[in-house]
Amino acid sequence: MIQRTSLRVALTTAVLLFGAAGPVDADAAAPVAQIQALLAKPDVMCGRFDQTKQLVGIKKPLASNGRFCVVAGKGVLWRTLQPFPATLRLSKDEIVQMQGDRVAMRLDAKQEPVVRMINSVLFSLLAGDLGQLDKLFDIDGGIQGKQWKVTLNAHEAALAKAIGAITLEGSAYVKKVTMSEAGGDRTEILFSDIHSGPQALSAEDGAAFAQ
């Protein structure tokens, strides 16, 4: 579960801060370039997320909410507050899952192949390494006024199975992410109350990054 969740979180929050990935063909170049121009790219960004997951065969969706932070040079912090507190931290060298102040799981990039894959995608996004992303995803984008939409579909079957298709919508920031899995499950994440700059990072956020 942590492997699949971590990859989705990495893709989602990294794109939130550093913008949509580049196009894979000439037809997509113009709208994606315009989308990148619209996106704010602060070094620090934090906000609220509300997530709804609809599982195949289950009528009532699973709902959760919490706080996210993306900090250039440090990584991604994904803090679920309800229904159960949990924190996921992704950095260049590791993925750490925490329950309260206790480290529940730590995956080292040097030892775990999945961590290397997650971090490769994450930091390609962070660095704007469009060539690397083009190897992994078919990317398509559209824009209307100041509103835009981008869809990422993985080339490789294993990656597509792990993350499904990802659609991002927004303006200066990503406001909505929809992830559709091959098996039919669907996750929707809404982002709000977004703040940028060093003051956006709380003392609790800073402590979680340091754990």
Side-chain angles (χ1 to χ4, degrees):
M1 178 61 70
I2 187 172
Q3 295 178 2
R4 184 175 296 183
T5 300
S6 299
L7 183 53
R8 289 176 181 150
V9 169
L11 287 168
T12 300
T13 49
V15 172
L16 271 169
L17 178 56
F18 292 92
V24 294
D25 57 56
D27 292 338
V32 173
Q34 293 171 16
I35 292 167
Q36 289 178 315
L38 286 174
L39 281 164
K41 301 175 181 67
D43 289 336
V44 178
M45 183 176 66
C46 299
R48 174 189 170 97
F49 72 84
D50 289 272
Q51 177 174 303
T52 304
K53 186 175 181 66
Q54 184 66 62
L55 301 175
V56 173
I58 299 179
K59 291 184 177 181
K60 187 176 181 179
L62 305 176
S64 62
N65 63 67
R67 176 177 171 83
F68 73 92
C69 287
V70 186
V71 180
K74 287 189 176 182
V76 173
L77 192 65
W78 191 264
R79 296 170 53 205
T80 301
L81 301 178
Q82 295 180 339
F84 305 107
T87 298
L88 188 70
R89 188 185 75 232
L90 300 102
S91 66
K92 183 177 181 181
D93 299 319
E94 63 183 6
I95 295 174
V96 178
Q97 188 176 40
M98 294 173 284
Q99 298 289 343
D101 294 330
R102 181 179 65 88
V103 175
M105 183 177 294
R106 188 185 300 269
L107 299 178
D108 192 312
K110 295 179 181 178
Q111 300 175 355
E112 299 286 344
V114 67
V115 178
R116 289 197 298 271
M117 180 179 70
I118 291 169
N119 287 345
S120 175
V121 175
L122 172 61
F123 287 97
S124 290
L125 284 165
L126 297 179
D129 186 352
L130 307 185
Q132 180 65 29
L133 292 171
D134 286 351
K135 298 175 184 178
L136 298 172
F137 299 98
D138 288 320
I139 305 164
D140 190 20
I143 186 169
Q144 185 173 7
K146 293 185 177 181
Q147 304 298 313
W148 55 263
K149 184 175 182 179
V150 167
T151 300
L152 293 85
N153 289 286
H155 294 161
E156 297 294 332
L159 189 57
K161 183 178 180 180
I163 66 172
I166 301 176
T167 301
L168 306 119
E169 302 174 51
S171 51
Y173 297 106
V174 175
K175 296 298 180 66
K176 179 180 178 180
V177 175
T178 304
M179 293 172 282
S180 303
E181 299 180 40
D185 293 345
R186 180 183 174 91
T187 300
E188 182 178 282
I189 306 174
L190 301 177
F191 297 94
S192 60
D193 196 26
I194 297 172
H195 299 277
S196 62
Q199 69 279 3
L201 197 68
S202 70
E204 190 173 2
D205 297 328
F209 269 116
Q211 282 183 301

